[in-house]
């Protein structure tokens, strides 16, 4: 069966129209703050809208039969790439980021909700463009919700089938009805939480602009800030606690939040991934707080807040910073490095491996020890009291192995450009996990500006790989995908 | 079924008698060099022999029915621990290593063929004790041959079934006939190669003592040297090339060497693991040589020799050193770190993950991408042109996942003792992979003397875990193992 390119382009057209629309939404901001970038946003917006419209109109009625599974991999990967490609226009036209590689890195870092930045001085950038920067993450978050709820499970990727059965109003059917039903409900929650956080941040003392921007990038677990010092700029404990709570929510399966808002609180604690996500975070916060309290002169409350903030920021793959954890203690550097391989819940906007996969891997490891003793016994892994098929466990293990392979290979490539051990493994772990800050020279207080052009392209590719759950992108590199079936 | 403790102790008794016998073999060396340690070797040897003999006699005729599979895990783990426990006696009685933790670390590092040392000044140690130190590795290597050829496949551990079908004269039968048949043939090769290497090293200019010791620890892929500077002390290229060749042979499946010696050369290149092992090593040597030649002032031959030596030393998990690779280039530090997770061939004396597992993991990763597109298709991984059962692939993936979990958890524990990021991950990677030198403060030119007591115990445990293919030891920690079946 041939790939349905017309249907694919039709969707890309729709996405570009959406993209252009969002660019135009930044226009009033630019005009209000009189930052001189309004023309860049206007041109980018109209151009992107037009290209999208033309593509859509040319392909709309000719796309017969809709998308098949095999088209799915291509449309998702192309979707993210197209959005990022056109998303560079506001940066390039306004000359706020004059080089294409930098602009593409920053935009892809946005749409993949990574939050790694090449900007040395964020505060010197026009407000309209900063708004666009934050919006790329928020749009990326919207995309991830559709992707994980509606598309990835159909593509059969890395255990994403596991939590779909739990999604509200979902029966394994075609692509369309699911997107229009489940995704819309979850988008509403996503939007609602963003508005709610923005209001709380405003109450906490941020101005309108900062509160909206931080709300947008918190809920996307993106981590772009409007300040050079990231959230460390806002020293009010209230603001930091608000962001912690919303980062944690953004890293929670939106389906559970949906149930929570409908009063079905039992379902939340009944969800095994959530229990692990919560307990695991709580356990590490106690440990990290204790260490920070001992090795620094900070008060207990400030040690607790810093520890909690950094932990939740890394685990949810947000990447905001209020303190430089690499200066705390070697133990914490190692812990934060390992945490980069965890990720938050599936069905949230968080990147990385995801807690549910680790739960399966952990349980399966213990079970495999039992299976050694009794190879004949059927000993499936159980999640939420149901047996997980060995196919899914197999797939999740393969996912994890490929994740490590990509990490190892990526680290070798980055170090081949001359960066030291810590910088290389830190940059790769943080980009692949869609986090933001890493270690070494790309630590919490640094940025990615100094990375060479090839390095930025390699890291961009890793951000895309990580965000699209590896398989979606890697499948396109197998000759098998492109041969006729 | 109850564990057959009598049969287990009977075997431990035999092992201790062997251990005592080997200690007494060091006695002539000690007397010849008049190093003042002969009494320590005599007492240790006779004591160990006697304890072994008593244990054996007390349990011999009462052990009904022989060893069952479940006893296997315990006897292997206890075997290595008992050998190491009694193996500390020569160090402790001679006061060459006065503290128990240090002596145990050094002995276990020997029997697990790791080669990590706590000795600051190896050359000040008596020759008889140094001989014992080298012998612990050689005995460990003997043990590994039995383990991988005869025991692990029966225990069903991590894909070790894969190459057994290839072993000469083996039909899946009971434990006894296999040990007496296959293992004996391979031991003969092991002994023969050791003698041959010692002769070549003597010809190359080493004295008798050094040549025998280095031959013993090369063939075991152990890496204990009699010199503080390791093999860097012996600057003759001939000696270094001889050691490279024998390290590579020690990292080759002994079954293949057996076939090679019987003229069946086709079988060697026909073995897929060997092809990968060889090509992979060759590829990396070219890359590393190029980098070393560019970044240092060394001649091409010396760049090549240093690169080849360090690569083969790490991949075969030997751990000899002729140059400090951590000073070459960041790229090479990252590469050598990643190589610590590779290991050489299954069925050799090398530790670590093993090439065959990586081959399966790599092939399965590509296959899993195909399976995404066609979930219904049966797409098994193939090794040596035969389909590998999905059970074995499953088991190998679980092995790799557990390996990474142990690595992550071990690194956190070591860094909790206050060691920096590089030292922690380096020490854990090198001990778990049974290599020897690591990174940071436990680099190629350093040793493990400064590590605190808890650190030495954690690293000792990791050496044991890695050497016994994780599962053998970890199974003993599951409550399931100890409940009656």
């Amino acid at each position: 069966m041939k790939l349905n390119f017309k249907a694919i382009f039709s969707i890309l057209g729709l996405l570009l129209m959406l993209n252009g629309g969002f660019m135009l939404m930044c226009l009033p901001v630019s005009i209000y703050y009189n930052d001189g970038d309004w023309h860049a946003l206007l041109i980018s917006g109209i151009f992107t809208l037009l290209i999208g419209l033309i593509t859509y109109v040319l392909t709309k009625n000719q796309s017969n039969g809709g998308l098949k599974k095999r088209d799915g991999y291509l449309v998702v990967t192309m979707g993210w790439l197209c959005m990022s490609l056109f998303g560079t226009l506001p940066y390039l036209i306004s000359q706020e980021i004059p080089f294409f590689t930098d602009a593409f890195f920053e935009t892809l870092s946005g749409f993949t909700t990574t939050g790694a930045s090449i900007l040395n001085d964020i505060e010197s950038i026009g407000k309209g463009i900063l708004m666009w920067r934050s919006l790329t993450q928020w749009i990326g978050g919207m995309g991830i919700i559709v992707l994980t709820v509606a598309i990835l499970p159909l593509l059969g990727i890395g255990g994403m089938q596991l939590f779909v059965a739990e999604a509200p109003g979902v029966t394994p059917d075609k692509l369309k009805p699911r997107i229009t039903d489940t995704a819309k409900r979850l988008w509403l929650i996503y939007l609602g939480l963003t508005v709610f956080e923005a209001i709380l941040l405003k109450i906490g003392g941020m101005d309108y602009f900062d509160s909206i921007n931080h709300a947008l990038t918190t809920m996307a677990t993106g981590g772009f800030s409007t300040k050079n010092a990231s959230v460390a700029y806002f020293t009010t404990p209230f603001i930091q606690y608000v962001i912690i709570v919303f980062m944690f929510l953004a890293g929670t399966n939106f389906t559970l939040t949906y149930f929570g808002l409908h009063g079905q609180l039992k379902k939340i604690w009944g969800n095994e991934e959530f229990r692990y996500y919560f307990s695991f975070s709580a356990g590490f916060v106690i440990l990290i707080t204790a260490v920070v309290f001992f090795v620094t002169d900070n008060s207990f409350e400030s040690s607790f807040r810093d520890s909690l903030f950094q932990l939740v920021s890394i685990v949810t793959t947000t990447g905001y910073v209020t303190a430089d954890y690499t200066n705390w203690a070697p133990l914490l550097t190692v812990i934060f490095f390992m945490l980069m391989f965890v990720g938050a819940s599936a069905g949230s906007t968080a990147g990385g491996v995801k807690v549910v996969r680790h739960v399966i891997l952990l349980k399966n490891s213990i079970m495999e020890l039992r299976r050694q003793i009794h190879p004949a016994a059927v000993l499936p892994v159980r999640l939420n009291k149901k047996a997980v098929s060995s196919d899914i466990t197999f797939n999740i293990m393969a996912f994890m192995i490929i994740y490590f392979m990509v990490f190892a290979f990526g680290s070798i490539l980055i170090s081949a450009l001359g960066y030291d051990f810590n910088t290389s493994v830190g940059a790769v772990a943080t980009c692949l996990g869609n986090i933001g800050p890493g270690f070494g020279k790309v630590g919490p207080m640094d940025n990615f500006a100094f990375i060479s052009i090839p390095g930025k392209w390699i890291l961009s590719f890793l951000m895309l790989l990580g965000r699209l759950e590896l398989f979606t992108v890697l499948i396109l590199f197998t000759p098998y995908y492109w041969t006729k079936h």
Side-chain angles (χ1 to χ4, degrees), chain A residues 273-340:
Chain A
E273 182 183 29
F274 182 79
R275 286 206 303 276
Y276 274 91
Y277 170 48
F278 185 86
S279 323
F280 168 88
S281 304
F284 270 102
V285 163
I286 294 170
L287 173 66
I288 296 168
T289 304
V291 176
V292 174
F293 184 62
F294 268 102
V295 300
T296 66
D297 295 331
N298 302 352
S299 74
F300 180 78
E301 190 278 331
S302 131
S303 303
F304 170 72
R305 182 157 35 87
D306 281 347
S307 304
L308 183 63
F309 193 99
Q310 261 56 238
L311 175 94
V312 172
S313 176
I314 294 280
V315 168
T316 62
T317 74
T318 307
Y320 284 145
V321 173
T322 60
D324 187 353
Y325 48 79
T326 59
N327 283 339
W328 280 342
L331 166 64
L332 299 186
T333 306
V334 173
I335 286 180
F336 278 115
F337 178 71
M338 300 301 173
L339 288 177
M340 290 192 171

Side-chain angles (χ1 to χ4, degrees), chain A residues 176-442:
Chain A
K176 269 272 172 71
R178 290 177 142 207
I179 292 181
T180 49
D181 185 26
T182 315
K184 271 187 186 168
R185 296 185 199 197
L186 301 190
W187 281 347
L188 215 62
I189 293 171
Y190 183 63
L191 177 66
L193 287 175
T194 308
V195 173
F196 189 41
E197 187 191 347
I199 293 170
L200 287 176
L201 292 178
K202 180 72 189 65
I203 293 171
M206 278 192 188
D207 63 25
Y208 280 111
F209 181 77
D210 288 337
S211 59
I212 292 169
N213 277 279
H214 283 87
L216 290 172
T217 59
T218 307
M219 285 312 297
T221 67
F224 274 158
S225 175
T226 51
K227 300 296 176 190
N228 292 329
S230 185
V231 178
Y233 179 91
F234 305 99
T235 47
T236 330
F238 176 79
I239 287 180
Q240 297 192 354
Y241 280 116
V242 166
I243 291 178
I244 289 169
V245 169
F246 281 85
M247 285 195 293
F248 190 80
L249 279 173
T252 305
N253 190 333
F254 277 89
T255 312
L256 292 181
T257 313
Y258 174 91
F259 287 131
L261 292 171
H262 285 72
Q264 295 170 282
L265 294 170
K266 257 190 178 173
K267 281 210 176 182
I268 297 178
W269 197 248
N271 181 283
E272 213 171 336
E273 182 183 29
F274 182 79
R275 286 206 303 276
Y276 274 91
Y277 170 48
F278 185 86
S279 323
F280 168 88
S281 304
F284 270 102
V285 163
I286 294 170
L287 173 66
I288 296 168
T289 304
V291 176
V292 174
F293 184 62
F294 268 102
V295 300
T296 66
D297 295 331
N298 302 352
S299 74
F300 180 78
E301 190 278 331
S302 131
S303 303
F304 170 72
R305 182 157 35 87
D306 281 347
S307 304
L308 183 63
F309 193 99
Q310 261 56 238
L311 175 94
V312 172
S313 176
I314 294 280
V315 168
T316 62
T317 74
T318 307
Y320 284 145
V321 173
T322 60
D324 187 353
Y325 48 79
T326 59
N327 283 339
W328 280 342
L331 166 64
L332 299 186
T333 306
V334 173
I335 286 180
F336 278 115
F337 178 71
M338 300 301 173
L339 288 177
M340 290 192 171
F341 292 86
V342 176
S345 312
S348 74
T349 57
V353 176
K354 313 286 181 308
V355 173
V356 67
R357 289 205 181 95
H358 285 285
V359 173
I360 301 284
L361 290 174
L362 193 65
K363 288 187 172 190
N364 185 60
S365 299
I366 295 165
M367 211 51 97
E368 192 67 14
L369 294 177
R370 282 199 184 190
R371 291 190 200 111
Q372 297 286 319
I373 307 172
H374 285 300
V378 179
L379 298 164
V381 169
R382 290 180 173 276
L383 187 78
N384 296 322
K385 291 178 184 160
K386 273 171 274 180
V388 175
S389 85
S390 67
D391 276 2
I392 291 182
T393 309
F394 193 95
N395 189 258
I396 291 174
M397 286 199 288
F399 177 91
M400 197 72 225
I401 302 282
I402 295 176
Y403 198 90
F404 283 123
M405 284 181 184
V406 171
F407 168 71
F409 193 62
S411 301
I412 290 176
L413 284 181
I414 295 296
S415 67
L417 301 172
Y419 303 107
D420 64 67
F421 184 82
N422 294 23
T423 305
S424 302
V425 298
V428 171
T430 200
C431 285
L432 188 58
N434 299 127
I435 298 159
F439 289 94
K441 295 190 181 66
V442 292

